[in-house]
Amino acid sequence: MSPKKRVAMELDPLFERLQPAEVFFTPDGKQLFLLLEPERFMDGLVTLKNAGFSHLSLVSCVDWLERGEFELVYHLLRWEDGKRVALKVRIDRENPVFQTVLHLWPTARFYERDIHEFFGVVFEGNADREPLFLEHWDDIPPMRKDFDPQPYSQKIFDEREYQHPFVPHIVQANPDRLPWEETIDEAKKGGETNGGK
Amino acid sequence: MAENNLELTRNQKEVELFFGPNHPGMHGNFSVHLKLEGDTVVQAEPVPGFLHRGFEKLMERRLWMSNLALIPRICVPEPDINEMVYAMAVERLSELQVPPRGNWIRVLILELARINAHLMSIGGLGGASGLYTDMYWAMTERDWILDIFEKITGARVYHMYIVIGGVRQDLPEGIVPFILERLDGLERRLKEFHDLLYKNPVLHARLKDRLILNRSMCEEMCITGIGLRATGIPHDIRRVDPYAAYEEMDFDIPTGEKGDALTRGHLKLLEVEQSIRIIRQVLAKIPSGPVRQKPLGNALRWRVPAGETFEHVESSRGEYGYYVVSDGSEKPYRIHVRGASYPQGLYGVQRYMPGTRIEDVALWLGTMDFCPPEIDR
């Protein structure tokens, strides 16, 4: 029996209740990702929690810029046998609002706060929305795909001129060439190099 | 009126305290804003961010291969688990098989790293409780282990040794007697650690039956690792979801009963013993053959097939994992780090630190297995 079939069969009784819209496997078939409709999602989490998947490893968010949606991924683990299931839900990128899971896992408070800070997703029912890591942040949430750190840092920090303090004369003498090319040429000529200075 | 007066005196008695990186008892760059009433903590608010380096964003901007140099920096005492979960994720997505010898060497490296992390943590326990001898001893022992790393990988702290497809190179010649000699030395010292720490009346007074982490708290906070094992549940990812060559290793999972701080501290020492046992098995039975498979071609043009995976390993602090998403390009699309101490470091501090005394705050953080860099990422 292929691993895919085995994983699916073990969870078969749960499948009927979960009714996933899509099922994803890793190439070796050992890991399962279920995509659920938003209105069925909380039921799905409760079903899995009652089936022993009571350990919430992580709440992740993925920004799919081209599709215009955020994907929230809840990674669940069963302590007894080490089985894992991940539930996914897709929400609109323009209006990123979803329900909190605080009533099921109080520890999700900080995962949700984290996602709110880095993706701007609002979890209804979780009032904790203070920034956790970033200080004086004044741009769009930084983990979004349309945030580019380079222009941002150019805007925030002053330009500074970087110079080689060790070989200033070489750099100034021949700005088109790399410093070590000059040094190699000088060595070939038998002249004294400035490498030691 | 009487109530108002009471409220006033209560407020006057409260003192706010910033317990941050400047405090010698703090484990790394992290801070807790405390409100104290007398000696008792009545409110605790975790404030991370001192170490935030944007690893997850940086990883999205680097090639699959270049990330190997970046990720060990996420966790200082035990960097190799990062390389391991990352390599596991890429191998699963691109359907790579690691040669047996590569897997066995990975076990050797991971267990050496676990010993390292536990020794640092045992030393931290001494530092936080004022027993500095223990701290110096543990740091010295850790340095002997770092010598092994230097011989195998060329680096002491960040090794970048576990790479995609196996390990970077084979073990050097003559390393086996060297490792065995160091392990014998460590094993002799473990007994002294035991006498110094766990027969110590001062430590008993401060840790025994205190700073409890029971099963319902573990379930609420989703804590795994030593915290959970100290309550009597033998949960270990090496056993329930084996990776590398752990399926072929023979080892015990030490558990406690009470879930108090002394049990958690004691389990660390017992786990070091088990790690030594695993390393001896590796050295005795390691198969020969290649250590790495390289079917992906030029490392600068690697493309990992589109897909997603969540990999986890048993770190010294519990379940440590990466959620890796690839869109089939040369760089990862998204990587999310599950730090093992994220739940107890943030939610746990807020929920369960109130009620402890001010002198136990450092011990609380130390015995709950707490590592700020993996929270900040």
Side-chain angles (χ1 to χ4, degrees), chain A residues 26 28 31 55-57 59-61 63 75 79 84 88 106 110 114 132-133 142-145 147, chain B residues 48 57 60 92 221-222 235 308-312 319 323 333-334 336 338 342 347 375-377:
Chain A
T26 47
D28 60 358
Q31 281 183 34
H55 176 92
L56 178 71
S57 286
V59 183
S60 305
C61 182
D63 179 11
H75 304 272
W79 280 345
R84 251 200 341 258
K88 302 205 288 188
F110 283 91
D114 198 314
L132 194 60
F133 299 110
M143 282 301 285
R144 287 191 179 193
K145 282 283 172 187
F147 173 76
Chain B
K57 191 79 179 175
E60 288 172 12
R92 197 185 294 273
M221 290 195 264
C222 297
H235 176 266
E308 61 196 320
T309 172
F310 180 80
E311 298 298 331
H312 62 173
E319 187 199 21
Y323 174 53
Y333 191 76
R334 166 94 167 112
H336 194 178
R338 198 258 180 200
Y342 198 98
Y347 179 73
I375 293 174
D376 278 13
R377 313 191 303 289

Side-chain angles (χ1 to χ4, degrees), chain B residues 110-377:
Chain B
L110 291 173
E111 290 307 314
L112 284 172
R114 189 185 314 279
I115 293 179
N116 251 343
H118 277 327
L119 282 175
M120 218 165 169
S121 163
I122 291 170
L125 184 65
S129 57
L131 197 70
Y132 291 108
T133 316
D134 165 53
M135 192 174 76
Y136 297 132
W137 281 13
M139 286 300 158
T140 314
E141 290 304 316
R142 177 173 177 266
D143 237 54
W144 295 126
I145 302 291
L146 292 185
D147 287 350
I148 303 177
F149 275 121
E150 193 174 356
K151 288 210 174 204
I152 296 178
T153 70
R156 291 178 78 81
V157 179
Y158 301 121
H159 315 118
M160 292 157 271
Y161 184 64
I162 296 173
V163 293
I164 294 154
V167 294
R168 186 151 43 85
Q169 63 198 28
D170 207 341
L171 297 175
E173 272 179 38
I175 192 71
V176 176
F178 181 76
I179 299 177
L180 287 174
E181 184 201 320
R182 288 286 152 96
L183 289 185
D184 289 341
L186 176 63
E187 213 164 34
R188 278 198 297 277
R189 292 285 276 179
L190 283 184
K191 198 188 164 308
E192 292 180 40
F193 271 107
H194 188 272
D195 291 349
L196 176 75
L197 277 173
Y198 305 114
K199 288 186 178 173
N200 190 322
V202 178
L203 217 67
H204 269 251
R206 293 195 63 182
L207 298 184
K208 199 174 184 188
D209 299 328
R210 300 184 67 186
L211 311 177
I212 300 273
L213 180 68
N214 56 31
R215 171 153 189 186
S216 65
M217 284 163 76
C218 286
E219 277 174 354
E220 183 190 342
M221 290 195 264
C222 297
I223 290 178
T224 52
I226 283 190
L228 183 60
R229 289 196 283 275
T231 65
I233 301 165
H235 176 266
D236 190 317
I237 292 165
R238 289 177 290 175
R239 188 57 63 74
V240 294
D241 189 11
Y243 49 95
Y246 278 111
E247 228 163 3
E248 297 162 64
M249 302 296 155
D250 180 26
F251 64 99
D252 296 331
I253 302 170
T255 53
E257 280 175 11
K258 281 185 191 159
D260 60 341
L262 191 70
T263 315
R264 292 200 295 276
H266 193 208
L267 284 186
K268 280 176 194 158
L269 214 57
L270 296 180
E271 288 210 348
V272 173
E273 282 174 12
Q274 292 302 321
S275 293
I276 294 175
R277 191 173 149 197
I278 293 175
I279 293 171
R280 289 225 170 94
Q281 288 172 45
V282 171
L283 294 179
K285 294 193 281 190
I286 187 164
S288 57
V291 294
R292 187 181 176 193
Q293 206 194 7
K294 296 189 203 171
L296 283 168
N298 187 345
L300 298 177
R301 298 202 195 92
W302 278 357
R303 284 174 187 278
V304 172
E308 61 196 320
T309 172
F310 180 80
E311 298 298 331
H312 62 173
V313 296
E314 183 74 29
S315 77
S316 63
R317 300 170 301 284
E319 187 199 21
Y320 190 90
Y322 273 21
Y323 174 53
V324 177
V325 182
S326 169
D327 62 345
S329 72
E330 292 167 339
K331 294 168 186 171
Y333 191 76
R334 166 94 167 112
I335 295 183
H336 194 178
V337 181
R338 198 258 180 200
S341 54
Y342 198 98
Q344 62 261 49
L346 296 176
Y347 179 73
V349 165
Q350 198 181 48
R351 174 84 173 77
Y352 288 109
M353 194 181 267
T356 52
R357 290 168 63 82
I358 174 70
E359 69 267 25
D360 287 341
V361 169
L363 272 178
W364 194 98
L365 292 170
T367 57
M368 291 280 174
D369 289 315
F370 174 71
C371 179
E374 67 185 19
I375 293 174
D376 278 13
R377 313 191 303 289

